Amino acid sequence: MERSRGDRLLSILIILSFSSLKISAIRRDIGLPGKLVCRNTVQGRYLLSDDNGYVCSALSVDTSSRCCPEKGERFSCQGCNLVSQCCNSYEYCVSCCLNPTRTQQDLAMRVKVAKPVTAGTYRSVFDFCAGRCRHNSASVVHENAYASDFHHCFSLQSNTSAGVVESNSEAKLTGIDVIIGRRGESCNSACKSRGQSCVPNRLFVLNNCEFLQKYMRCKGSCFASIGSDQPAEVVDDAPKNVNPGACLYTQIEGMLSCDGSHHHTKRLCPCA
């Protein structure tokens, strides 16, 4: 009996001695990856685009992570015009915009969220793409209708306050005289009247609202159109259905031509 009691006391002492030791064999931080959570465009009725650059149906998005399945093309530009950087789908516009080769992070992060100088900047490239693709005033006619199905645009060119894009474009016009042609006059004719020639590979530099608004009045706003006479301004006495006073740029750069003209517009021309 005494021996049994002694064995029990010894066992208790052994247990107590081990319990007082610091256990260091179990790693407290084993570096398990955190749970992946995506941001996505949320409001799509049928489609969503996540911040990884994938587009999926609203029903297939992971309810826990809010990520799209990683299948199909990443940074898809389905339904997008890569020349104008405009798309006919909001979600594919965001996906296409997120491609690092199309949107430079350092430039996107400098863009103002709104026009005032006091406006803040975007927190991420996803915020830039989601906000930029949602609306584009340059594609609106009369403030309540779109001039084209390709009205989801992510181009840095028409909303940056950093001045980087504009300064690069100005550099491309070194040695170029920018002139306004007469009504119905082609750029070839307008430049020739000054003893110069139209420079066709500089038309694309002028083919945006920034330069149109710099050289012309554009009192009827500025929006995308289609025509070989662009960039141009519609004359004030033009019929109402062709937007008198509006400035026009083309979304199809292949249509840019020094020969183009229209009896209701005045062209913006690069001459040298």
Side-chain angles (χ1 to χ4, degrees):
M1 187 72 176
E2 285 296 325
R3 189 172 183 178
S4 176
R5 182 180 300 173
D7 289 342
R8 287 199 298 271
L9 289 174
L10 180 60
S11 298
I12 292 172
L13 288 174
I14 291 172
I15 293 172
L16 289 176
S17 64
F18 273 105
S19 65
S20 65
L21 294 175
K22 182 178 180 180
I23 299 175
S24 58
I26 299 177
R27 294 172 59 192
R28 293 187 177 185
D29 182 7
I30 57 176
L32 291 175
K35 184 178 180 181
L36 177 65
V37 177
C38 293
R39 299 179 62 198
N40 63 47
T41 50
V42 181
Q43 76 268 29
R45 183 177 180 182
Y46 302 108
L47 295 175
L48 294 173
S49 178
D50 66 21
D51 56 6
N52 289 318
Y54 288 99
V55 176
C56 62
S57 70
L59 296 176
S60 67
V61 69
D62 187 289
T63 56
S64 177
S65 67
R66 296 185 294 177
C67 298
C68 285
E70 293 186 0
K71 60 182 181 180
E73 183 184 356
R74 190 182 184 192
F75 307 131
S76 175
C77 296
Q78 179 178 319
C80 298
N81 182 325
L82 296 182
V83 174
S84 64
Q85 294 185 318
C86 294
C87 310
N88 58 15
S89 162
Y90 172 64
E91 289 76 21
Y92 281 104
C93 176
V94 174
S95 176
C96 190
C97 172
L98 285 170
N99 190 328
T101 65
R102 296 191 182 91
T103 302
Q104 297 181 37
Q105 182 176 1
D106 58 335
L107 293 182
M109 300 291 281
R110 298 183 200 177
V111 175
K112 296 291 185 181
V113 175
K115 289 288 185 182
V117 178
T118 55
T121 54
Y122 293 100
R123 295 176 301 170
S124 66
V125 175
F126 177 77
D127 286 331
F128 166 80
C129 294
R132 195 79 182 103
C133 287
R134 187 173 292 112
H135 54 79
N136 181 10
S137 60
S139 297
V140 177
V141 184
H142 302 312
E143 300 183 356
N144 60 4
Y146 291 110
S148 166
D149 288 337
F150 294 83
H151 56 260
H152 299 288
C153 305
F154 59 88
S155 172
L156 276 164
Q157 199 165 12
S158 60
N159 195 32
T160 178
S161 60
V164 178
V165 175
E166 287 87 344
S167 62
N168 289 341
S169 296
E170 290 282 4
K172 293 177 182 178
L173 292 175
T174 301
I176 299 293
D177 291 330
V178 179
I179 69 169
I180 300 173
R182 295 189 297 269
R183 177 179 185 152
E185 186 177 38
S186 71
C187 282
N188 274 337
S189 177
C191 293
K192 186 176 180 180
S193 67
R194 297 171 60 94
Q196 297 179 311
S197 299
C198 175
V199 184
N201 65 358
R202 290 297 178 267
L203 280 168
F204 79 94
V205 180
L206 302 177
N207 186 46
N208 59 71
C209 289
E210 283 74 22
F211 278 103
L212 282 164
Q213 291 167 344
K214 178 178 179 179
Y215 291 98
M216 295 174 153
R217 293 177 298 168
C218 301
K219 62 182 182 181
S221 77
C222 177
F223 55 86
S225 184
I226 298 176
S228 61
D229 62 310
Q230 295 153 22
E233 182 181 51
V234 182
V235 295
D236 290 339
D237 61 349
K240 289 185 178 180
N241 66 316
V242 294
N243 301 296
C247 284
L248 310 174
Y249 67 94
T250 182
Q251 291 186 321
I252 306 175
E253 287 198 356
M255 296 189 70
L256 293 172
S257 168
C258 288
D259 291 323
S261 65
H262 192 283
H263 60 282
H264 286 316
T265 64
K266 295 185 295 184
R267 296 201 62 185
L268 189 63
C269 305
C271 303

